Amino acid sequence: MKRALVSLVAAPLALAGGDPRPWPVLKGAWFPWEPYEYVRADAPLAGPTGLDIELISRILGRVGYDAQFFREPDRNRHLVDIESGAADFTTSPPAAERERYAHFSDPIRREINVLYVRRGDRKPSRFERVDDMLQMFGARDFRLGLLEGFDYGPDSLREYIRSREDTPLIVRAPDVDTLFRALQQHAIDGFIMDRLVGATLAWRSKLVRRFDVVALPAECSYDICLMFSKRTTTPELVASVNRSIADAKRDGSYDAIVRRYALPMLLSITTGREWFFIVDILGTIAFAMSGVILARKEKFDIVGALVLAALPAVGGGILRDLLVHREPLGVMRSPAYLLAVMITVLAGWLLFRFLAIRHQDLVLGIFGDTGSGTSRRGVGLATRAFQVLDTVGLAAFTIIGVVVAAESQAEPLVLWGPILAAMTSSGGGILRDMVRADPHTSVLKTSFYPEVSLIWGLAFAMFLNWQTDRLNPHEVFLGVVVTFFGAFVTRLAAIHFKVKPVSF
């Protein structure tokens, strides 16, 4: 208690400019719980990071404290540390039985729990009531996996767990990885988990396709607060922390931290799926094809064709990454994109050189002169196929631009999201036309093209800002899908109705 009282005297001096370094320190216990609390694989010596870690550091820093974190192997140890005073704080849902030895702050976030089950097992899509879930557990002798030291919501669920604690129907595990392995190996039938934590680990472990998620009633979710030890802290400190939490939510710093940690992970989970990778590669090939066709039309050599193909395919992404100092550059994170460009150039060279087709008609047809007769029908099909693939690329690159803006913490997102979306989809085409010394840059003069990315990039960024307080992986996935098809349909409609950009 003496340490806490000394800290309360020192903290105002630090904030007033006296700066009696070192600032008073509060020690907090943490537990691997990505994206809330974790150590980055590429920086293991940098200490813990995550949404909770940074948010707590910001909140305590506002009242004059340095937060220092030490890892405990399970959540039960956190409770022991708080009761004994070995830790000053940790995160916890408010619980009456813990008020004997702990103070609770106002909520810093909400933990929304879901039920993970094996894909293919018989299950409902959601539970409307806790009683429905417990009835299903009982009828099927459901083996439920739980994390050591975690609170699991409503009284009826707690009673169910207590009544079966010493039976094979309740299986305790020390960490999330163990629960996923137990479910995969049929040692349990399901486990309850925060939906964002579960989605993060399933994605990182490449296990997304092996499990399904069942929505639980709202009573199974709860607020997460800061829990302070009564041995080392005071109610006055907690009151100051509550004011700091309110200030962080009011001035926007709370939302900025959530976007920094939660949104990039949610977006990576969606854009990391196979279907998005496929459409991204198809778009890359389409952009590369435009360069190959121009190289043939304007008699470039094969190196020139590679340059004209690579610029629209990856040039916009490189410009975007250089602008936001993204490391490594997106094109260097996977060889798939450059390989797609090279294969497209090689295939185009073989097509034009060896196949018995009227390639000149094809080139002219794609650029607007469709010829006549049988050739006209064939060229029309080629033109439409190229436009569709190109539009797929535009839609995918629009999403990727906003994702990079969120990942790079470019604020405000509603400004930088659409800018990076347009740069990703159209910047490479502009570079290509500059290399060709073309005074009639089609992307900027004759085509309703970057405007599509600006419109849908803005819509997607606004959606993600709204999503900040919800952190729903399913809704973020739907947002990506809607943005993709919205940009796709808008571009095809602009082609069909010959929509031109507004002249300056």
Side-chain angles (χ1 to χ4, degrees), residues 257-343:
I257 292 172
V258 172
R259 282 195 294 271
R260 185 176 307 144
Y261 286 97
L263 281 184
M265 182 55 64
L266 288 172
L267 292 167
S268 295
I269 290 169
T270 298
T271 57
R273 299 189 185 194
E274 289 182 8
W275 72 267
F276 192 87
F277 176 74
I278 291 170
V279 298
D280 192 17
I281 289 294
L282 287 176
T284 301
I285 292 171
F287 285 179
M289 283 170 54
S290 69
V292 169
I293 292 168
L294 281 174
R296 173 65 185 183
K297 182 180 179 182
E298 299 177 4
K299 303 187 184 309
F300 280 72
D301 62 18
I302 194 165
V303 175
L306 183 61
V307 171
L308 294 189
L311 284 174
V314 299
I318 292 173
L319 278 179
R320 173 204 66 212
D321 292 347
L322 290 174
L323 178 64
V324 299
H325 302 287
R326 190 184 187 206
E327 294 182 356
L329 301 179
V331 72
M332 298 178 68
R333 298 186 180 199
S334 170
Y337 300 99
L338 279 180
L339 285 175
V341 172
M342 293 176 183
I343 291 171

Coordinates of all heavy atoms in Angstrom, one line a residue, residues 257-343:
I257 N -6.0 2.5 -31.6 CA -5.4 1.3 -31.1 C -6.1 0.1 -31.6 O -5.5 -0.9 -32.0 CB -5.2 1.4 -29.6 CG1 -4.3 2.5 -29.2 CG2 -4.7 0.0 -29.1 CD1 -4.2 2.7 -27.7
V258 N -7.4 0.1 -31.5 CA -8.2 -1.0 -32.0 C -8.0 -1.3 -33.4 O -7.7 -2.4 -33.9 CB -9.7 -0.8 -31.7 CG1 -10.5 -1.9 -32.3 CG2 -10.0 -0.8 -30.2
R259 N -8.0 -0.2 -34.2 CA -7.7 -0.4 -35.7 C -6.3 -0.9 -35.9 O -6.1 -1.7 -36.9 CB -8.0 0.9 -36.4 CG -9.4 1.3 -36.6 CD -9.6 2.4 -37.6 NE -9.0 3.6 -37.2 CZ -9.7 4.6 -36.5 NH1 -11.0 4.3 -36.1 NH2 -9.2 5.7 -36.1
R260 N -5.4 -0.5 -35.1 CA -4.0 -0.9 -35.3 C -3.8 -2.4 -35.2 O -3.0 -3.0 -35.9 CB -3.1 -0.1 -34.4 CG -1.6 -0.3 -34.6 CD -0.8 0.5 -33.7 NE -1.2 1.9 -33.8 CZ -1.2 2.8 -32.8 NH1 -0.9 2.4 -31.6 NH2 -1.6 4.0 -33.0
Y261 N -4.5 -2.9 -34.2 CA -4.2 -4.4 -33.9 C -5.3 -5.3 -34.4 O -5.0 -6.4 -34.9 CB -4.0 -4.5 -32.4 CG -2.7 -4.0 -31.9 CD1 -2.6 -2.7 -31.3 CD2 -1.6 -4.8 -32.0 CE1 -1.4 -2.2 -30.9 CE2 -0.3 -4.3 -31.6 CZ -0.3 -3.0 -31.0 OH 0.9 -2.5 -30.6
A262 N -6.5 -4.9 -34.2 CA -7.6 -5.9 -34.5 C -8.0 -5.9 -36.0 O -8.1 -6.9 -36.6 CB -8.8 -5.5 -33.7
L263 N -8.1 -4.7 -36.6 CA -8.5 -4.6 -38.0 C -7.6 -5.3 -39.0 O -8.0 -6.1 -39.9 CB -8.8 -3.2 -38.4 CG -10.2 -2.6 -38.0 CD1 -10.4 -1.2 -38.6 CD2 -11.3 -3.5 -38.4
P264 N -6.2 -5.0 -38.9 CA -5.3 -5.7 -39.8 C -5.4 -7.3 -39.7 O -5.4 -8.0 -40.7 CB -3.9 -5.2 -39.4 CG -4.2 -3.9 -38.8 CD -5.5 -4.0 -38.1
M265 N -5.6 -7.8 -38.5 CA -5.7 -9.2 -38.3 C -7.0 -9.7 -38.9 O -7.0 -10.7 -39.7 CB -5.7 -9.6 -36.8 CG -5.7 -11.1 -36.6 SD -4.4 -12.0 -37.5 CE -3.0 -11.3 -36.7
L266 N -8.1 -9.0 -38.7 CA -9.4 -9.4 -39.3 C -9.3 -9.4 -40.8 O -9.8 -10.3 -41.5 CB -10.5 -8.5 -38.8 CG -11.0 -8.7 -37.3 CD1 -11.9 -7.6 -37.0 CD2 -11.6 -10.1 -37.1
L267 N -8.7 -8.4 -41.3 CA -8.6 -8.3 -42.8 C -7.7 -9.3 -43.4 O -7.9 -9.9 -44.4 CB -8.1 -6.9 -43.2 CG -9.2 -5.7 -42.9 CD1 -8.5 -4.4 -43.0 CD2 -10.3 -5.8 -43.8
S268 N -6.6 -9.6 -42.6 CA -5.6 -10.6 -43.1 C -6.3 -12.0 -43.1 O -6.0 -12.8 -44.0 CB -4.4 -10.6 -42.2 OG -3.7 -9.4 -42.3
I269 N -7.1 -12.2 -42.1 CA -7.8 -13.5 -42.1 C -8.7 -13.7 -43.4 O -8.8 -14.8 -43.9 CB -8.7 -13.6 -40.8 CG1 -7.8 -13.7 -39.6 CG2 -9.7 -14.8 -40.9 CD1 -8.5 -13.6 -38.3
T270 N -9.3 -12.6 -43.8 CA -10.2 -12.7 -45.0 C -9.4 -12.7 -46.3 O -9.6 -13.6 -47.1 CB -11.2 -11.5 -45.0 OG1 -12.0 -11.6 -43.8 CG2 -12.0 -11.5 -46.2
T271 N -8.5 -11.8 -46.4 CA -7.7 -11.7 -47.7 C -6.7 -12.8 -47.8 O -6.1 -13.0 -48.8 CB -7.0 -10.3 -47.8 OG1 -6.2 -10.1 -46.6 CG2 -8.0 -9.2 -47.8
G272 N -6.4 -13.5 -46.7 CA -5.5 -14.6 -46.7 C -6.2 -15.9 -47.2 O -5.5 -17.0 -47.3
R273 N -7.5 -15.9 -47.4 CA -8.2 -17.1 -47.9 C -7.9 -17.4 -49.3 O -7.5 -16.5 -50.1 CB -9.7 -16.9 -47.7 CG -10.1 -16.7 -46.2 CD -11.6 -16.7 -46.1 NE -12.0 -16.4 -44.7 CZ -13.2 -16.7 -44.2 NH1 -14.1 -17.2 -44.9 NH2 -13.5 -16.3 -42.9
E274 N -8.0 -18.7 -49.7 CA -7.6 -19.1 -51.0 C -8.4 -18.4 -52.1 O -7.9 -18.1 -53.2 CB -7.8 -20.6 -51.1 CG -6.8 -21.4 -50.3 CD -7.0 -22.9 -50.5 OE1 -7.8 -23.3 -51.4 OE2 -6.3 -23.7 -49.8
W275 N -9.7 -18.2 -51.9 CA -10.5 -17.6 -53.0 C -10.0 -16.2 -53.3 O -10.0 -15.8 -54.4 CB -12.0 -17.5 -52.6 CG -12.3 -16.5 -51.5 CD1 -12.4 -16.8 -50.2 CD2 -12.7 -15.1 -51.7 NE1 -12.8 -15.6 -49.5 CE2 -12.9 -14.6 -50.4 CE3 -12.8 -14.3 -52.8 CZ2 -13.3 -13.3 -50.2 CZ3 -13.2 -13.0 -52.6 CH2 -13.4 -12.5 -51.3
F276 N -9.6 -15.4 -52.2 CA -9.1 -14.1 -52.5 C -7.8 -14.1 -53.2 O -7.5 -13.3 -54.1 CB -9.0 -13.3 -51.2 CG -8.8 -11.8 -51.4 CD1 -9.9 -11.0 -51.6 CD2 -7.6 -11.2 -51.5 CE1 -9.7 -9.6 -51.8 CE2 -7.4 -9.9 -51.7 CZ -8.5 -9.1 -51.9
F277 N -6.9 -15.0 -52.8 CA -5.6 -15.2 -53.5 C -5.8 -15.5 -55.0 O -5.1 -14.9 -55.8 CB -4.8 -16.3 -52.8 CG -3.5 -16.6 -53.5 CD1 -2.4 -15.7 -53.4 CD2 -3.3 -17.7 -54.3 CE1 -1.2 -15.9 -54.0 CE2 -2.1 -18.0 -54.9 CZ -1.1 -17.1 -54.8
I278 N -6.8 -16.3 -55.3 CA -7.0 -16.7 -56.7 C -7.5 -15.5 -57.5 O -7.0 -15.2 -58.6 CB -8.1 -17.8 -56.8 CG1 -7.5 -19.1 -56.2 CG2 -8.6 -18.0 -58.2 CD1 -8.5 -20.2 -56.0
V279 N -8.4 -14.7 -57.0 CA -8.9 -13.5 -57.7 C -7.8 -12.5 -57.8 O -7.7 -11.8 -58.8 CB -10.2 -12.9 -57.1 CG1 -11.3 -13.9 -57.1 CG2 -10.0 -12.4 -55.7
D280 N -7.0 -12.4 -56.8 CA -5.9 -11.5 -56.8 C -4.9 -11.8 -57.9 O -4.4 -11.0 -58.7 CB -5.2 -11.5 -55.5 CG -4.2 -10.3 -55.3 OD1 -4.3 -9.4 -56.1 OD2 -3.4 -10.4 -54.4
I281 N -4.6 -13.1 -58.0 CA -3.7 -13.6 -59.1 C -4.3 -13.4 -60.5 O -3.6 -13.0 -61.4 CB -3.3 -15.1 -58.9 CG1 -2.3 -15.2 -57.7 CG2 -2.6 -15.6 -60.1 CD1 -1.0 -14.5 -57.9
L282 N -5.6 -13.7 -60.6 CA -6.3 -13.4 -61.9 C -6.2 -12.0 -62.3 O -6.0 -11.6 -63.5 CB -7.7 -13.9 -61.8 CG -8.0 -15.4 -61.8 CD1 -9.5 -15.7 -61.6 CD2 -7.5 -16.0 -63.1
G283 N -6.4 -11.1 -61.3 CA -6.3 -9.7 -61.6 C -4.9 -9.3 -62.0 O -4.7 -8.5 -62.9
T284 N -3.9 -9.8 -61.3 CA -2.5 -9.6 -61.7 C -2.2 -10.0 -63.1 O -1.5 -9.3 -63.9 CB -1.6 -10.3 -60.7 OG1 -1.8 -9.8 -59.4 CG2 -0.1 -10.0 -61.0
I285 N -2.7 -11.2 -63.5 CA -2.5 -11.7 -64.9 C -3.2 -10.8 -65.9 O -2.6 -10.4 -66.9 CB -3.1 -13.1 -65.0 CG1 -2.2 -14.1 -64.1 CG2 -3.1 -13.6 -66.4 CD1 -2.7 -15.5 -64.0
A286 N -4.4 -10.3 -65.5 CA -5.1 -9.4 -66.5 C -4.3 -8.1 -66.7 O -4.2 -7.6 -67.8 CB -6.5 -9.1 -65.9
F287 N -3.8 -7.5 -65.6 CA -3.0 -6.3 -65.7 C -1.8 -6.5 -66.5 O -1.4 -5.7 -67.3 CB -2.7 -5.7 -64.3 CG -3.8 -5.1 -63.6 CD1 -3.6 -4.6 -62.3 CD2 -5.1 -5.0 -64.2 CE1 -4.7 -4.0 -61.6 CE2 -6.1 -4.4 -63.5 CZ -5.9 -3.9 -62.2
A288 N -1.1 -7.7 -66.3 CA 0.1 -8.0 -67.0 C -0.3 -8.2 -68.5 O 0.5 -7.8 -69.4 CB 0.7 -9.3 -66.5
M289 N -1.4 -8.8 -68.8 CA -1.9 -9.0 -70.2 C -2.0 -7.7 -71.0 O -1.6 -7.6 -72.1 CB -3.2 -9.7 -70.2 CG -3.1 -11.2 -70.0 SD -4.7 -12.0 -69.8 CE -5.6 -11.4 -71.3
S290 N -2.4 -6.6 -70.2 CA -2.6 -5.3 -70.9 C -1.2 -4.8 -71.4 O -1.1 -4.3 -72.5 CB -3.2 -4.3 -70.0 OG -2.4 -4.0 -68.9
G291 N -0.2 -5.1 -70.5 CA 1.2 -4.7 -70.9 C 1.7 -5.5 -72.1 O 2.4 -5.0 -73.0
V292 N 1.4 -6.8 -72.1 CA 1.9 -7.7 -73.1 C 1.3 -7.3 -74.5 O 1.9 -7.2 -75.5 CB 1.5 -9.2 -72.8 CG1 1.7 -10.0 -74.0 CG2 2.3 -9.7 -71.6
I293 N 0.0 -6.9 -74.5 CA -0.7 -6.5 -75.7 C -0.1 -5.2 -76.2 O 0.1 -5.1 -77.5 CB -2.2 -6.4 -75.5 CG1 -2.8 -7.8 -75.2 CG2 -2.9 -5.8 -76.6 CD1 -4.2 -7.8 -74.7
L294 N 0.1 -4.3 -75.3 CA 0.7 -3.0 -75.8 C 2.2 -3.3 -76.3 O 2.6 -2.6 -77.3 CB 0.8 -2.0 -74.6 CG -0.5 -1.3 -74.3 CD1 -0.3 -0.5 -73.0 CD2 -0.9 -0.4 -75.4
A295 N 2.9 -4.1 -75.7 CA 4.3 -4.4 -76.1 C 4.2 -5.0 -77.5 O 5.1 -4.7 -78.4 CB 4.9 -5.4 -75.2
R296 N 3.3 -5.9 -77.8 CA 3.1 -6.5 -79.2 C 2.7 -5.4 -80.2 O 3.3 -5.3 -81.3 CB 2.1 -7.6 -79.1 CG 1.7 -8.2 -80.5 CD 2.9 -8.8 -81.1 NE 2.7 -9.3 -82.5 CZ 3.5 -9.9 -83.2 NH1 4.7 -10.2 -82.8 NH2 3.2 -10.3 -84.4
K297 N 1.8 -4.6 -79.8 CA 1.2 -3.6 -80.7 C 2.3 -2.5 -81.0 O 2.4 -2.1 -82.2 CB 0.0 -2.9 -80.0 CG -0.6 -1.8 -80.9 CD -1.8 -1.2 -80.1 CE -2.5 -0.1 -81.0 NZ -3.6 0.6 -80.2
E298 N 3.2 -2.2 -80.0 CA 4.1 -1.1 -80.3 C 5.6 -1.7 -80.5 O 6.5 -0.9 -80.4 CB 4.1 -0.2 -79.0 CG 2.8 0.5 -78.9 CD 2.7 1.4 -77.7 OE1 3.7 1.6 -77.0 OE2 1.6 1.9 -77.4
K299 N 5.6 -3.0 -80.7 CA 6.9 -3.7 -81.1 C 8.0 -3.5 -80.1 O 9.2 -3.2 -80.5 CB 7.3 -3.2 -82.5 CG 6.3 -3.3 -83.6 CD 6.8 -3.0 -85.0 CE 5.7 -3.1 -86.0 NZ 5.0 -4.3 -86.0
F300 N 7.7 -3.7 -78.8 CA 8.8 -3.8 -77.8 C 9.4 -5.2 -77.9 O 8.8 -6.1 -78.3 CB 8.1 -3.6 -76.4 CG 7.9 -2.1 -76.1 CD1 6.9 -1.4 -76.7 CD2 8.7 -1.5 -75.1 CE1 6.6 -0.1 -76.3 CE2 8.5 -0.2 -74.8 CZ 7.4 0.5 -75.4
D301 N 10.7 -5.2 -77.4 CA 11.3 -6.6 -77.3 C 10.7 -7.3 -76.0 O 9.9 -6.7 -75.3 CB 12.8 -6.5 -77.3 CG 13.3 -5.7 -76.1 OD1 12.6 -5.5 -75.1 OD2 14.5 -5.3 -76.1
I302 N 11.3 -8.5 -75.7 CA 10.7 -9.2 -74.6 C 11.0 -8.6 -73.3 O 10.1 -8.7 -72.4 CB 11.2 -10.7 -74.7 CG1 10.3 -11.6 -73.8 CG2 12.7 -10.8 -74.3 CD1 10.5 -13.1 -74.0
V303 N 12.1 -7.9 -73.1 CA 12.4 -7.2 -71.9 C 11.4 -6.0 -71.7 O 10.9 -5.8 -70.6 CB 13.8 -6.8 -71.8 CG1 14.1 -5.9 -70.5 CG2 14.8 -8.0 -71.8
G304 N 11.2 -5.3 -72.8 CA 10.2 -4.2 -72.8 C 8.8 -4.7 -72.4 O 8.1 -4.1 -71.7
A305 N 8.5 -5.9 -73.0 CA 7.2 -6.5 -72.7 C 7.1 -6.8 -71.2 O 6.0 -6.6 -70.6 CB 7.0 -7.7 -73.5
L306 N 8.2 -7.3 -70.6 CA 8.2 -7.6 -69.2 C 8.0 -6.4 -68.3 O 7.2 -6.4 -67.4 CB 9.5 -8.3 -68.8 CG 9.6 -8.8 -67.4 CD1 8.5 -9.8 -67.0 CD2 11.0 -9.4 -67.1
V307 N 8.6 -5.3 -68.8 CA 8.5 -4.0 -68.0 C 7.0 -3.5 -68.1 O 6.4 -3.1 -67.1 CB 9.4 -3.0 -68.6 CG1 9.1 -1.6 -68.0 CG2 10.9 -3.4 -68.2
L308 N 6.5 -3.5 -69.4 CA 5.1 -3.0 -69.6 C 4.1 -3.9 -68.9 O 3.0 -3.4 -68.5 CB 4.8 -2.9 -71.1 CG 5.6 -1.9 -71.9 CD1 5.0 -1.8 -73.3 CD2 5.6 -0.5 -71.2
A309 N 4.4 -5.2 -68.7 CA 3.5 -6.1 -68.0 C 3.6 -5.9 -66.5 O 2.6 -6.0 -65.8 CB 3.8 -7.5 -68.4
A310 N 4.8 -5.8 -66.0 CA 5.0 -5.7 -64.5 C 4.5 -4.4 -63.9 O 4.0 -4.4 -62.8 CB 6.5 -5.9 -64.2
L311 N 4.6 -3.3 -64.7 CA 4.2 -2.0 -64.1 C 2.7 -2.0 -63.7 O 2.4 -1.6 -62.5 CB 4.5 -0.9 -65.1 CG 6.0 -0.5 -65.2 CD1 6.3 0.5 -66.3 CD2 6.5 0.0 -63.8
P312 N 1.8 -2.3 -64.5 CA 0.4 -2.3 -64.1 C 0.1 -3.4 -63.1 O -0.8 -3.2 -62.2 CB -0.4 -2.4 -65.4 CG 0.5 -3.1 -66.3 CD 1.9 -2.6 -66.0
A313 N 0.8 -4.5 -63.2 CA 0.5 -5.6 -62.3 C 1.0 -5.4 -60.8 O 0.3 -5.7 -59.9 CB 1.1 -6.9 -62.8
V314 N 2.2 -4.9 -60.7 CA 2.8 -4.7 -59.3 C 3.3 -3.3 -59.1 O 3.6 -3.0 -57.9 CB 3.9 -5.7 -59.1 CG1 3.5 -7.1 -59.2 CG2 5.1 -5.5 -60.1
G315 N 3.3 -2.4 -60.1 CA 3.9 -1.1 -59.9 C 3.1 -0.3 -59.0 O 3.6 0.5 -58.1
G316 N 1.7 -0.3 -59.0 CA 0.9 0.4 -58.1 C 1.1 0.0 -56.7 O 1.2 0.9 -55.8
G317 N 1.3 -1.3 -56.4 CA 1.5 -1.8 -55.1 C 2.9 -1.3 -54.6 O 3.0 -1.0 -53.4
I318 N 3.9 -1.3 -55.4 CA 5.2 -0.8 -55.0 C 5.1 0.7 -54.6 O 5.7 1.1 -53.6 CB 6.2 -1.1 -56.1 CG1 6.4 -2.6 -56.3 CG2 7.5 -0.4 -55.8 CD1 7.3 -3.0 -57.4
L319 N 4.5 1.5 -55.5 CA 4.3 2.9 -55.1 C 3.6 3.1 -53.8 O 4.0 3.9 -52.9 CB 3.5 3.6 -56.2 CG 4.2 4.1 -57.5 CD1 3.2 4.7 -58.4 CD2 5.3 5.1 -57.1
R320 N 2.5 2.3 -53.6 CA 1.8 2.4 -52.3 C 2.6 2.0 -51.1 O 2.7 2.7 -50.1 CB 0.6 1.4 -52.4 CG -0.2 1.2 -51.2 CD -0.9 -0.1 -51.2 NE 0.1 -1.2 -51.2 CZ -0.1 -2.4 -51.8 NH1 -1.2 -2.6 -52.5 NH2 0.8 -3.4 -51.7
D321 N 3.4 0.9 -51.2 CA 4.2 0.5 -50.1 C 5.4 1.5 -49.8 O 5.7 1.7 -48.7 CB 4.8 -0.9 -50.4 CG 3.7 -2.0 -50.4 OD1 2.6 -1.7 -50.0 OD2 4.0 -3.1 -50.9
L322 N 5.9 2.1 -50.9 CA 7.0 3.1 -50.6 C 6.4 4.3 -49.9 O 7.0 4.9 -49.1 CB 7.6 3.5 -52.0 CG 8.5 2.4 -52.6 CD1 8.9 2.9 -54.0 CD2 9.7 2.1 -51.8
L323 N 5.2 4.7 -50.3 CA 4.5 5.8 -49.7 C 4.3 5.6 -48.2 O 4.5 6.6 -47.4 CB 3.2 6.1 -50.4 CG 2.4 7.3 -49.8 CD1 3.2 8.6 -50.0 CD2 1.0 7.4 -50.5
V324 N 3.9 4.4 -47.8 CA 3.6 4.2 -46.4 C 4.7 3.5 -45.6 O 4.6 3.1 -44.5 CB 2.3 3.4 -46.2 CG1 1.1 4.1 -46.8 CG2 2.4 2.0 -46.8
H325 N 5.9 3.4 -46.3 CA 7.1 2.8 -45.7 C 6.8 1.3 -45.2 O 7.1 0.9 -44.1 CB 7.6 3.6 -44.5 CG 7.9 5.0 -44.9 ND1 9.1 5.3 -45.6 CD2 7.3 6.2 -44.6 CE1 9.1 6.6 -45.8 NE2 8.1 7.2 -45.2
R326 N 6.1 0.6 -46.0 CA 5.8 -0.8 -45.7 C 7.0 -1.7 -45.9 O 7.6 -1.7 -47.0 CB 4.6 -1.3 -46.5 CG 4.0 -2.6 -46.1 CD 2.9 -3.0 -47.1 NE 2.2 -4.1 -46.7 CZ 1.6 -5.0 -47.5 NH1 1.6 -4.7 -48.9 NH2 0.9 -6.0 -47.1
E327 N 7.3 -2.5 -44.9 CA 8.5 -3.4 -45.1 C 8.1 -4.8 -44.6 O 7.5 -5.0 -43.5 CB 9.7 -2.9 -44.2 CG 10.2 -1.5 -44.7 CD 11.4 -1.1 -43.8 OE1 11.7 -1.8 -42.8 OE2 12.0 -0.1 -44.1
P328 N 8.5 -5.8 -45.4 CA 9.0 -5.7 -46.8 C 7.9 -5.3 -47.7 O 6.7 -5.3 -47.4 CB 9.5 -7.1 -47.1 CG 8.7 -8.0 -46.3 CD 8.4 -7.2 -45.0
L329 N 8.3 -4.8 -48.9 CA 7.3 -4.5 -49.9 C 6.4 -5.7 -50.2 O 6.8 -6.8 -50.2 CB 7.9 -4.0 -51.2 CG 8.9 -2.8 -51.1 CD1 9.5 -2.5 -52.5 CD2 8.2 -1.6 -50.6
G330 N 5.1 -5.4 -50.5 CA 4.2 -6.5 -50.8 C 4.6 -7.5 -51.8 O 4.5 -8.7 -51.7
V331 N 5.2 -6.9 -52.9 CA 5.7 -7.8 -54.0 C 6.8 -8.7 -53.6 O 7.0 -9.8 -54.2 CB 6.1 -6.9 -55.2 CG1 7.4 -6.2 -54.9 CG2 6.2 -7.7 -56.5
M332 N 7.5 -8.4 -52.5 CA 8.6 -9.2 -52.0 C 8.2 -10.2 -51.0 O 9.0 -11.1 -50.5 CB 9.7 -8.3 -51.4 CG 10.3 -7.3 -52.4 SD 11.5 -6.3 -51.7 CE 12.8 -7.4 -51.3
R333 N 6.9 -10.2 -50.5 CA 6.4 -11.1 -49.5 C 6.1 -12.5 -50.1 O 6.0 -13.5 -49.4 CB 5.2 -10.5 -48.8 CG 5.5 -9.2 -48.1 CD 4.4 -8.7 -47.3 NE 4.7 -7.5 -46.6 CZ 4.1 -7.0 -45.6 NH1 3.0 -7.6 -45.1 NH2 4.4 -5.9 -45.0
S334 N 5.8 -12.5 -51.4 CA 5.5 -13.7 -52.1 C 6.0 -13.6 -53.5 O 5.8 -12.6 -54.2 CB 4.0 -14.0 -52.1 OG 3.7 -15.1 -52.9
P335 N 6.6 -14.7 -54.0 CA 7.1 -14.7 -55.4 C 5.9 -14.9 -56.4 O 6.2 -14.8 -57.6 CB 8.1 -15.8 -55.5 CG 7.6 -16.8 -54.5 CD 7.0 -15.9 -53.4
A336 N 4.7 -15.2 -55.9 CA 3.6 -15.6 -56.8 C 3.3 -14.5 -57.9 O 3.0 -14.8 -59.0 CB 2.4 -16.0 -56.0
Y337 N 3.4 -13.2 -57.4 CA 2.9 -12.2 -58.3 C 3.9 -11.9 -59.5 O 3.5 -11.8 -60.6 CB 2.7 -10.9 -57.5 CG 1.7 -11.1 -56.4 CD1 2.0 -11.4 -55.1 CD2 0.3 -11.1 -56.7 CE1 1.1 -11.6 -54.1 CE2 -0.7 -11.3 -55.8 CZ -0.3 -11.6 -54.5 OH -1.2 -11.9 -53.5
L338 N 5.2 -11.9 -59.2 CA 6.2 -11.7 -60.2 C 6.2 -12.9 -61.1 O 6.4 -12.8 -62.4 CB 7.5 -11.4 -59.6 CG 7.8 -10.0 -59.2 CD1 9.2 -9.8 -58.6 CD2 7.6 -9.0 -60.4
L339 N 6.0 -14.1 -60.5 CA 6.0 -15.3 -61.4 C 4.8 -15.3 -62.3 O 4.9 -15.7 -63.5 CB 5.9 -16.5 -60.5 CG 7.2 -16.9 -59.8 CD1 7.0 -18.1 -58.8 CD2 8.3 -17.3 -60.8
A340 N 3.7 -14.8 -61.8 CA 2.5 -14.7 -62.7 C 2.7 -13.7 -63.8 O 2.3 -14.0 -65.0 CB 1.3 -14.2 -61.8
V341 N 3.4 -12.6 -63.6 CA 3.8 -11.7 -64.6 C 4.7 -12.3 -65.6 O 4.5 -12.2 -66.9 CB 4.4 -10.4 -64.0 CG1 5.0 -9.5 -65.1 CG2 3.4 -9.6 -63.1
M342 N 5.7 -13.0 -65.2 CA 6.7 -13.6 -66.1 C 6.0 -14.7 -66.9 O 6.3 -14.8 -68.2 CB 7.8 -14.2 -65.3 CG 8.7 -13.2 -64.6 SD 10.0 -14.0 -63.6 CE 10.8 -12.6 -62.8
I343 N 5.2 -15.5 -66.3 CA 4.5 -16.5 -67.1 C 3.6 -15.9 -68.1 O 3.4 -16.4 -69.2 CB 3.7 -17.5 -66.1 CG1 4.7 -18.3 -65.3 CG2 2.8 -18.4 -66.9 CD1 4.1 -19.0 -64.1

